[in-house]
Amino acid sequence: MKKLFLLLLLASSSLAVKASDYVYYGFQPDIVTNYVAVKKKLGYVRLTVELMIEGSGNLEAVEHHAPLLRDAIINIIGQQPEEKIKSINGRQQIQRECEAKVKELLTQETGQPLVKRLMFTQWLDN
């Protein structure tokens, strides 16, 4: 019984260390960009983007490449149709597309994706 408890304690402590080995990077200022709305009118989106980074040692590399990542996110959003911008499912698709692009770019630049998740923590559209 004592050995089982010790094994469970060791397993849970190693999981806690692994789960806490993430840091977050937020793009500052918020991303603001246009998209083409109905009848060729321009709409805009303002969003807050957070990156969940694997390992605190990778934060510096992500910060270094932040302008490249920001540009990629702006380009993806700027190409989206209004119906996708305005729908929850569309936003989730855009978020996944941005996450894949960020991971692709970081892999090209550093050899590793470095980012576990990309999250839109605030989304305002007009």
Side-chain angles (χ1 to χ4, degrees), residues 7-106:
L7 285 173
L8 289 173
L9 181 63
L10 287 173
S12 66
S13 66
S14 66
L15 287 175
V17 169
K18 184 148 180 85
S20 67
D21 197 26
Y22 292 103
V23 294
Y24 292 86
Y25 175 79
F27 290 93
Q28 293 295 327
D30 288 350
I31 293 175
V32 179
T33 188
N34 292 325
Y35 65 91
V36 178
V38 178
K39 298 180 184 177
K40 304 282 184 186
K41 158 185 126 174
L42 284 179
Y44 74 90
V45 176
R46 178 181 178 168
L47 62 147
T48 304
V49 179
E50 301 280 334
L51 300 177
M52 179 185 206
I53 302 167
E54 296 188 81
S56 59
N58 294 323
L59 179 60
E60 188 175 321
V62 171
E63 287 176 332
H64 176 75
H65 295 292
L68 175 67
L69 305 178
R70 181 184 193 89
D71 181 62
I73 293 167
I74 289 170
N75 285 330
I76 289 170
I77 293 169
Q79 297 172 3
Q80 303 303 317
E82 182 177 23
E83 59 272 3
K84 203 169 183 182
I85 295 281
K86 300 244 180 214
S87 78
I88 292 174
N89 288 334
R91 291 176 193 173
Q92 290 172 344
Q93 290 174 350
I94 295 167
Q95 182 175 346
R96 287 190 297 270
E97 189 177 337
C98 289
E99 181 177 306
K101 186 63 174 179
V102 163
K103 287 179 179 181
E104 175 190 328
L105 289 170
L106 285 170

